[in-house]
């Protein structure tokens, strides 16, 4: 069979790092957090995979996944409604002793049978806490050319502040890599090192057969974390290569980074960097274009379709269907889908979740470093 | 399984009066209202009315239209049984023919309609902007026990002679049909939307085809023949927004009316009657530090750094710093460079307006021309395009037209 696509299947872990943004995942998971005006976090990794010719993608959901099912549907918007492969959403199999998986190992163990029956030679895996237009084709080329057993992508950056804070939930492990040339010589877990580090993006490439081997053995031994329990102890025998990613990467590590990563897209350079490579697909809502009514004043704003703007909006991101009434002022805000700001209301440094209503004349003010968050469906 | 009613959409029109806009695409594929194409309106009306089988009759420049319709998924018309079908003329054992007229287009597709064994067929036209509930029209048709019904609009008496008119009795029964008469007896203009009992339509199509002198047209042949035979014909009154966008000025006007839904009657924000379209998939639009937007509609992918006033911008339009756009319809992917002035005009897709170029002008006195720039045209820096110009080839730097 002629294979015009790359010979890999994709696996996405949509619940990873949920606990970094508890406010945003009260009703959802990391993958379905709205981002950049009209997208959800998963759109970036999923579209990246599709754009590189991967047409067999499994999303292993763990909890709070109704919003994600609603968003993904049958995968049509990502061209993943396929007879062979396509989108495969795997909910937890609530039976026997395995209830809800904890780490990557248990998650992968739950789809071992599926993995065994597939034909692709390689597997690529990713989380959804990063918005990135990632070229999996180049990544896999690197993996094959380097002769690696496992390749992991990383960025060079200083560690996000929230990672170093006390009381970070142990469930959210993050990994920094020590490299000898390109080979990973050590994986540090929850490092607090200062300065620029090689921070793992948790994007992996591996041969399918090897992954099946690793997971079968690890699962029997009760291992939980792929990085801590499988990669880290075996770096001598296992050739793990690091792939440095230098493109644009928006990483959600806490509420503040959620805010700043949204706001950074007001800079055309960043916006172009994130969307230049290839299209990011998302669920279509069939909104009408956004309408600016006489009397509106707008400056430095990114807005999706379906908004109606009559008031003043400055330095803000408006998601689909936001309404800003006459006399309302919105400054430095991120307003998610269908937020309504009634007349005379005054919002500064505010993040509203979906369907929030800020009633007439109300004033909400956060600061540059601490934004006010209004949870889903609330009326202020 | 038989369908109660299926729709046949006449989309073969060349739209020659839209000249520069229809050089490479059929009229129903002409963009409208920021993110739609004209054909989205009848298609969305079908779906919202519960019609799930639509035949689209194409003939002129069908490429863009075919690709746009695709499998019909954006309109929820990708169905196991039925759905949307594009029907170009095809070769038959007895020979092949272009669609000679509106009636002949349907005649050539009798076998398509027969496959669904419908009781009724609604004939739609692909060049109108209108939100209409066809199920209400069908209800009327059934209640009257009609064999043929036509949707009509009341038009001002002084304009009536421009239309095909239905003369009716007090029960809305049609007694006479006048095609653009000098002395109108009625002000009920046909919207070109018909419901037929399929058995009746089929009979008349076959009879019409056998008549060598016929123009094979609904208005000129089929309807007069039905009248001659005193069939049960009724006029269904429609009173909502309806606009034939067959000319540059009516297309421009209809777009401008979208900006004023409170008064004009065309409301695209209606959650109860959504208009579906194939989406651009671009990221949200951006109003930059220097951008000013007044009373306009802007959609995904736009980048506004200039001044946009009372205009409709389609997906991916860029307005650079210092550029002025007013009373303009600017279609997808067009770039308006720094300092350019674009007013009272229609600029088609993927046009580049050079720096400090001038396109169109606000009307003064009697001149009400809408300048039109066809798709893909490059207008050089400092060029000037007059208010009534129709441009379909590149304009050199500094040139005036």
């Amino acid at each position: 069979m002629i294979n015009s696509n790359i010979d890999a299947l994709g696996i996405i872990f949509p619940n990873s790092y949920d606990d970094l943004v508890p406010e945003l995942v009260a009703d959802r998971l990391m993958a379905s957090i709205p981002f950049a005006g009209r997208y959800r976090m998963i759109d970036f990794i999923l579209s990246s995979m599709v754009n590189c010719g991967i047409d067999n993608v499994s999303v292993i959901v763990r909890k709070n996944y109704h919003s994600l099912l609603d968003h993904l549907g049958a995968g049509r918007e990502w061209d993943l409604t396929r007879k062979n492969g396509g989108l495969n959403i795997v909910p937890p199999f609530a039976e026997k002793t395995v209830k809800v998986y904890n780490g990557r190992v248990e998650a992968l163990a739950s789809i071992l049978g599926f993995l065994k029956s597939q034909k692709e030679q390689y597997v690529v895996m990713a989380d959804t806490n990063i918005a990135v237009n990632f070229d999996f084709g180049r990544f896999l080329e690197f993996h094959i050319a380097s002769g690696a057993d496992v390749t992991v992508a990383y960025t060079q950056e200083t560690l996000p502040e929230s990672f170093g804070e006390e009381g970070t939930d142990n469930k959210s492990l993050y990994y920094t890599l020590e490299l000898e040339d390109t080979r990973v010589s050590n994986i540090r877990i929850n490092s607090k090192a200062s300065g620029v580090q090689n921070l793992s993006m948790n994007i992996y490439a591996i041969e399918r057969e090897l992954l099946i081997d690793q997971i079968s053995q690890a699962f029997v031994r009760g291992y939980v974390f792929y990085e801590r329990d499988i990669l880290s102890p075996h770096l001598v025998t296992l050739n793990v290569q690091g792939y440095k990613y230098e493109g644009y990467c928006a990483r959600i590590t806490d509420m503040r980074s959620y805010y700043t990563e949204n706001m950074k897209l007001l800079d055309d350079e960043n916006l172009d960097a994130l969307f230049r490579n290839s299209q990011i697909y998302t669920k279509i809502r069939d909104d009408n274009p956004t309408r600016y009514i006489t009397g509106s004043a707008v400056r430095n704003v990114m807005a999706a379709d379906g908004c109606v703007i009559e008031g003043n909006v400055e330095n803000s991101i408006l998601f689909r269907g936001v309404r800003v009434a006459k006399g309302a002022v919105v400054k430095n805000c991120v307003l998610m889908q269908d937020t309504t700001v009634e007349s005379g209301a005054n919002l500064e440094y505010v993040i509203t979740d979906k369907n929030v209503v800020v009633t007439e004349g109300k004033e909400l003010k956060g600061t540059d470093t601490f934004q006010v968050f209004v949870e889903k469906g609330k009326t202020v | 399984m038989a369908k109660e009613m299926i729709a046949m959409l006449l989309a073969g029109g060349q739209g020659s009066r839209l000249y520069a806009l229809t050089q490479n695409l059929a009229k129903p594929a002409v963009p409208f209202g920021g993110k739609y194409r004209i054909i989205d309106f009848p298609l969305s009306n079908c779906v919202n009315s519960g019609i799930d089988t639509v035949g689209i009759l194409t003939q002129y420049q069908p490429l863009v239209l075919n690709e746009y319709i695709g499998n019909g998924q954006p309109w929820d018309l990708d169905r196991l049984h039925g759905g949307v079908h594009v029907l170009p003329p095809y070769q038959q054992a007895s020979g092949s023919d272009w669609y000679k007229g509106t009636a002949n287009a349907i005649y050539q597709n009798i076998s398509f309609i027969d496959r669904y064994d419908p009781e009724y067929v609604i004939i739609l036209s692909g060049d109108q902007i209108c939100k209409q509930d066809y199920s209400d029209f069908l209800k009327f048709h059934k209640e009257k026990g009609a064999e043929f019904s036509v949707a009509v609009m009341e038009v001002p008496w002084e304009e009536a002679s421009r239309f095909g008119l239905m003369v009716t009795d007090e029960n809305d029964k049609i007694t006479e049909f006048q095609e653009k008469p000098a002395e109108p007896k009625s002000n009920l203009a046909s919207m070109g939307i018909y419901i037929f009992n399929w058995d009746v339509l089929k009979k008349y199509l076959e009879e019409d085809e056998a008549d060598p002198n016929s123009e094979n047209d609904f208005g000129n042949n089929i309807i007069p023949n039905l009248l001659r035979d005193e069939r049960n014909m009724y006029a269904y009154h429609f009173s909502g927004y309806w606009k034939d966008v067959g000319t540059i000025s009516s297309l421009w006007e209809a777009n401008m009316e979208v900006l004023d839904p409170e008064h004009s009657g065309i409301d695209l924000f209606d959650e109860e009657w959504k208009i579906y379209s194939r989406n651009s998939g671009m990221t949200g639009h951006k109003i930059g530090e220097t951008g000013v937007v007044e009373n306009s509609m802007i959609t995904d992918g736009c980048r506004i750094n200039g001044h946009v006033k009372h205009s409709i911008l389609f997906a991916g339009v860029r307005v650079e710093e210092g550029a002025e756009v007013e009373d303009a319809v600017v279609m997808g992917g067009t770039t308006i460079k720094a300092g350019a002035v674009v007013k009272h005009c229609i600029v088609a897709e993927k046009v580049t307006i050079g720096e400090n170029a001038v396109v169109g002008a606000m009307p003064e006195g009697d001149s009400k021309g809408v300048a039109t720039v066809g798709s893909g045209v490059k207008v050089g820096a400092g060029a000037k395009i007059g208010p009534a110009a129709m441009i379909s080839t590149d304009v050199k730097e500094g040139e005036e037209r």
Side-chain angles (χ1 to χ4, degrees):
Chain A
M1 193 174 84
I2 295 168
N3 195 344
S4 57
N5 298 333
I6 66 175
D7 197 9
L9 63 87
I11 297 174
I12 294 176
F13 303 96
N15 284 93
S16 300
Y17 297 109
D18 272 1
D19 47 339
L20 293 178
V21 279
E23 300 95 328
L24 292 172
V25 297
D27 254 334
R28 56 168 84 86
L29 34 48
M30 179 57 84
S32 63
I33 291 178
F35 186 71
R38 60 190 292 273
Y39 303 93
R40 306 283 187 139
M41 287 303 291
I42 196 172
D43 294 338
F44 295 87
I45 279 293
L46 192 55
S47 302
S48 293
M49 287 182 175
V50 169
N51 286 330
C52 294
I54 296 171
D55 58 7
N56 179 0
V57 180
S58 296
V59 179
I60 311 181
V61 297
R62 182 164 163 256
K63 59 174 191 174
N64 276 12
Y65 51 83
H66 288 187
S67 61
L68 186 65
L69 295 190
D70 176 55
H71 180 68
L72 294 176
R76 183 157 54 194
E77 270 99 354
W78 298 265
D79 202 22
L80 283 174
T81 312
R82 304 274 130 239
K83 285 203 167 173
N84 296 309
L87 182 67
N88 172 30
I89 300 174
V90 192
F93 206 73
E95 213 184 12
K96 297 180 194 164
T97 51
V98 188
K99 290 188 291 292
V100 171
Y101 75 82
N102 278 312
R104 237 179 269 286
V105 173
E106 285 180 7
L108 288 167
S110 73
I111 62 161
L112 261 184
F114 167 80
L115 282 176
K116 285 176 186 161
S117 67
Q118 299 306 296
K119 296 191 171 54
E120 286 83 353
Q121 191 178 353
Y122 299 97
V123 176
V124 294
M125 304 188 277
D127 294 337
T128 56
N129 64 316
I130 48 176
V132 63
N133 207 325
F134 192 84
D135 188 338
F136 280 98
R138 274 179 65 183
F139 179 57
L140 206 61
E141 269 170 33
F142 173 90
H143 173 73
I144 295 166
S146 68
D149 294 313
V150 180
T151 300
V152 53
Y154 66 92
T155 54
Q156 286 194 317
E157 56 182 289
T158 52
L159 295 179
E161 279 173 39
S162 57
F163 279 1
E165 277 165 22
E166 287 302 313
T168 305
D169 198 320
N170 197 36
K171 272 187 287 182
S172 280
L173 303 181
Y174 63 93
Y175 310 97
T176 46
L177 312 175
E178 277 174 31
L179 298 169
E180 276 166 21
D181 195 16
T182 55
R183 182 160 174 173
V184 177
S185 57
N186 189 14
I187 299 177
R188 289 166 176 269
I189 298 167
N190 292 1
S191 155
K192 302 213 185 324
S194 59
V196 172
Q197 305 292 321
N198 300 322
L199 181 56
S200 170
M201 297 169 83
N202 297 356
I203 295 179
Y204 296 96
I206 182 173
E207 251 181 273
R208 185 174 51 86
E209 295 290 350
L210 177 59
L211 181 67
I212 292 168
D213 268 6
Q214 285 179 342
I215 298 302
S216 315
Q217 290 184 29
F219 187 58
V220 176
R221 299 195 171 98
Y223 293 162
V224 179
F225 295 106
Y226 185 70
E227 296 83 354
R228 188 189 69 186
D229 303 333
I230 297 180
L231 296 186
S232 190
H234 301 107
L235 289 172
V236 178
T237 48
L238 211 55
N239 180 1
V240 179
Q241 294 280 327
Y243 172 84
K244 185 160 134 191
Y245 177 73
E246 292 174 297
Y248 191 85
C249 175
R251 194 189 285 259
I252 309 300
T253 57
D254 57 359
M255 268 318 261
R256 197 169 144 199
S257 64
Y258 174 76
Y259 176 78
T260 51
E261 288 300 342
N262 266 295
M263 296 307 270
K264 268 166 77 178
L265 297 175
L266 286 175
D267 184 338
D268 281 350
E269 225 171 273
N270 294 335
L271 188 64
D272 287 339
L274 181 53
F275 289 92
R276 183 161 40 212
N277 278 347
S278 42
Q279 198 175 335
I280 303 298
Y281 309 100
T282 191
K283 188 182 177 189
I284 300 296
R285 244 178 60 148
D286 286 297
D287 284 292
N288 43 272
T290 281
R291 188 170 164 221
Y292 294 89
I293 296 178
T294 310
S296 69
V298 182
R299 203 169 65 81
N300 200 25
V301 163
M302 178 160 86
D305 272 357
C307 300
V308 181
I309 316 293
E310 269 190 284
N312 289 12
V313 187
E314 216 179 286
N315 300 331
S316 296
I317 308 274
L318 308 182
F319 285 70
R320 296 189 274 204
V322 168
R323 302 201 165 214
V324 180
K326 209 171 197 146
V329 178
V330 174
K331 267 189 195 169
N332 304 311
C333 292
V334 175
L335 308 182
M336 292 190 215
Q337 293 97 298
D338 301 313
T339 292
T340 300
V341 183
E342 293 185 355
S343 69
N346 192 343
L347 271 58
E348 224 173 303
Y349 293 107
V350 174
I351 303 171
T352 60
D353 207 319
K354 284 176 71 175
N355 299 317
V356 162
V357 180
V358 181
T359 53
E360 226 174 295
K362 287 286 182 316
E363 195 164 299
L364 283 178
K365 283 199 175 157
T367 66
D368 189 15
T369 49
F370 190 80
Q371 294 79 35
V372 173
F373 175 75
V374 185
E375 65 186 283
K376 193 171 163 184
K378 279 279 181 305
T379 298
V380 179
Chain B
M1 194 179 71
K3 301 270 181 194
E4 183 173 26
M5 179 160 86
I6 74 167
M8 297 298 275
L9 177 55
L10 299 166
Q14 189 177 345
S16 51
R17 286 174 301 163
L18 294 177
Y19 186 71
L21 299 179
T22 48
Q23 289 297 295
N24 302 310
L25 76 174
K27 184 154 73 166
V30 168
F32 180 83
K35 62 179 286 196
Y36 310 97
R37 291 182 189 266
I38 295 170
I39 198 166
D40 289 332
F41 288 80
L43 284 181
S44 301
N45 286 343
C46 281
V47 174
N48 291 336
S49 305
I51 298 172
D52 65 3
T53 307
V54 183
I56 301 181
L57 302 143
T58 61
Q59 175 151 293
Y60 173 79
Q61 289 283 13
L63 222 59
V64 175
L65 192 60
N66 285 351
E67 181 166 347
Y68 187 68
I69 300 299
N71 66 350
Q73 184 269 321
W75 303 269
D76 213 8
L77 284 171
D78 50 336
R79 301 292 171 98
L80 274 184
H81 182 59
V84 70
H85 296 263
V86 177
L87 305 168
Y90 57 93
Q91 202 166 26
Q92 303 175 38
S94 56
S96 65
D97 236 327
W98 293 102
Y99 294 147
K100 288 175 283 181
T102 49
N104 177 256
I106 306 293
Y107 172 83
Q108 290 200 34
N109 288 288
I110 284 177
S111 57
F112 169 81
I113 300 172
D114 271 339
R115 280 170 57 190
Y116 299 101
D117 189 20
E119 209 160 322
Y120 309 99
V121 174
I122 184 165
I123 310 288
L124 303 169
S125 91
D127 53 6
Q128 301 173 351
I129 302 299
C130 178
K131 293 196 297 185
Q132 187 177 8
D133 186 349
Y134 303 139
S135 66
D136 191 61
F137 187 9
L138 179 62
K139 198 169 132 223
F140 168 89
H141 181 87
K142 288 197 245 179
E143 276 169 9
K144 292 290 183 187
E147 293 166 300
F148 163 88
S149 314
V150 54
V152 295
M153 283 279 290
E154 271 185 45
V155 294
W157 278 97
E158 58 271 23
E159 287 177 28
S161 55
R162 286 173 40 215
F163 296 92
L165 302 172
M166 298 294 163
V167 184
T168 59
D169 67 11
E170 64 279 10
N171 291 319
D172 297 323
K173 187 163 179 172
I174 299 167
T175 55
E176 197 182 334
F177 171 64
Q178 296 183 299
E179 180 68 29
K180 295 179 183 157
E183 285 172 25
K185 287 191 211 168
S186 153
N187 67 338
L188 299 176
S190 163
M191 296 164 65
I193 300 175
Y194 317 116
I195 291 180
F196 283 95
N197 291 3
W198 174 228
D199 54 344
V200 174
L201 175 59
K202 193 168 161 182
K203 177 174 179 301
Y204 279 81
L205 287 174
E206 280 163 353
E207 182 192 306
D208 176 66
E209 188 63 18
D211 175 3
N213 297 321
S214 171
E215 295 165 47
N216 308 114
D217 183 80
F218 275 101
N220 293 335
N221 308 104
I222 302 286
I223 297 175
N225 289 349
L226 289 162
L227 267 168
R228 176 199 65 203
D229 298 345
E230 296 180 357
R231 289 286 181 170
N232 282 325
M233 301 167 70
Y234 285 87
Y236 166 78
H237 292 252
F238 177 76
S239 57
Y241 182 90
W242 175 71
K243 194 130 198 162
D244 182 321
V245 287
T247 64
I248 292 286
S249 61
S250 66
L251 179 66
W252 177 84
E253 222 174 83
N255 270 289
M256 290 298 119
E257 282 167 350
V258 169
L259 291 174
D260 187 20
E262 286 79 9
H263 302 99
S264 68
I266 177 80
D267 181 10
L268 300 182
F269 283 71
D270 188 351
E271 282 292 312
E272 304 293 307
W273 204 268
K274 264 196 179 182
I275 304 301
Y276 301 96
S277 67
R278 204 172 273 280
N279 280 250
S280 72
M282 293 181 186
T283 174
H285 68 265
K286 270 199 62 190
I287 316 288
E289 290 280 356
T290 54
V292 178
V293 177
E294 292 177 70
N295 196 17
S296 294
M297 287 206 357
I298 316 258
T299 189
D300 289 343
C302 291
R303 297 275 175 91
I304 314 295
N305 287 300
H307 191 154
V308 177
K309 187 176 174 187
H310 200 253
S311 295
I312 292 199
L313 271 49
F314 289 67
V317 169
R318 305 207 166 203
V319 180
E320 294 185 359
E321 199 169 339
E324 278 181 63
V325 179
E326 185 173 0
D327 280 1
V329 177
V330 185
M331 295 177 186
T334 287
T335 299
I336 298 173
K337 298 218 164 170
V341 177
V342 174
K343 293 194 168 174
H344 204 77
C345 61
I346 298 180
V347 180
E349 296 164 291
K350 299 192 181 76
V351 170
T352 307
I353 310 277
E355 285 170 21
N356 301 312
V358 176
V359 177
M362 297 304 284
E364 280 175 43
D366 289 340
S367 78
K368 282 190 181 146
V370 177
T372 309
V373 182
S375 70
V377 168
K378 288 187 171 51
V379 177
K384 202 161 181 249
I385 292 171
M390 186 71 105
I391 308 292
S392 53
T393 54
D394 288 357
V395 182
K396 287 199 210 68
E397 204 175 310
E399 192 182 338
E400 286 198 24
R401 282 209 211 169

